[in-house]
Amino acid sequence: MTETDVYQWTKGAFHITTDKAAQDIPAIHRYLTRSTWAAGIDEQTVRDSVEHSLNFGLFEGEKQIGFARLITDYATFAYLCDVYVLEEYQGNNLGGWLVECCQSHPVSARVRRMVLFTTTAPWLYEKFGYEPVNRPDYAWAITRPDIYLKKDS
């Protein structure tokens, strides 16, 4: 397995690919900029994040309808983030399938620790073995929730 290996999954009219070149950056940006976790993110930041991540694009035909990415060193650690399925496609277990594909990728079997941060759909992630970290002085973070809303002066 190398960082450039492309993996694909198909389910009826839908497919998921890790091919970076297939990711529709403007579509991903349109969703993320209105999300609760990346409001106001600029397109270049989205482009850079896709370039430096293991991406899982969810498509119906040529239309990108969902996305997830793993920020990973491909050896010991992965951070699952930016998981979404467009609203009009929700309720069809596509989000579950998307996370399932992330979890079935060889990097997921290899890494010692996987994390995610979410305020929505904890029930989805619990199905895949994620647990809340509720130990004092264990998980630490610097969080800047409004960073994309602040414009350079």
Side-chain angles (χ1 to χ4, degrees):
M1 172 190 64
T2 69
E3 293 180 33
T4 58
D5 289 346
V6 173
Y7 289 81
Q8 298 192 56
W9 298 263
T10 303
K11 184 179 189 177
F14 304 100
H15 72 277
I16 293 174
T17 182
T18 62
D19 185 357
K20 284 183 186 184
Q23 307 307 314
D24 183 344
I25 302 298
I28 297 166
H29 174 253
R30 277 192 301 277
Y31 185 88
L32 291 180
T33 196
R34 64 183 179 82
S35 71
T36 57
W37 65 89
I41 193 169
D42 63 276
E43 190 170 319
Q44 186 59 49
T45 299
V46 172
R47 187 174 307 283
D48 292 343
S49 70
V50 168
E51 180 59 32
H52 299 288
S53 298
L54 173 56
N55 307 284
F56 296 80
L58 170 61
F59 293 83
E60 180 183 44
E62 299 297 313
K63 180 182 179 184
Q64 185 146 10
I65 62 165
F67 181 72
R69 67 188 178 100
L70 289 173
I71 302 169
T72 182
D73 62 5
Y74 290 82
T76 64
F77 180 82
Y79 165 37
L80 177 62
C81 59
D82 292 339
V83 181
Y84 76 85
V85 173
L86 293 178
E87 291 84 353
E88 60 266 31
Y89 292 91
Q90 292 176 7
N92 298 307
N93 197 34
L94 293 172
W97 182 51
L98 181 57
V99 175
E100 179 183 314
C101 292
C102 294
Q103 298 297 111
S104 71
H105 189 280
V107 77
S108 295
R110 182 172 188 208
V111 298
R112 179 173 175 252
R113 179 164 287 132
M114 293 181 69
V115 299
L116 71 93
F117 298 94
T118 186
T119 58
T120 59
W123 51 267
L124 172 64
Y125 301 107
E126 287 174 342
K127 291 179 184 179
F128 295 97
Y130 287 91
E131 302 173 335
V133 178
N134 292 324
R135 294 185 359 205
D137 299 329
Y138 179 69
W140 297 73
I142 295 173
T143 304
R144 299 179 184 115
D146 299 327
I147 194 165
Y148 304 124
L149 299 175
K150 297 177 182 174
K151 304 297 179 200
D152 294 339
S153 300

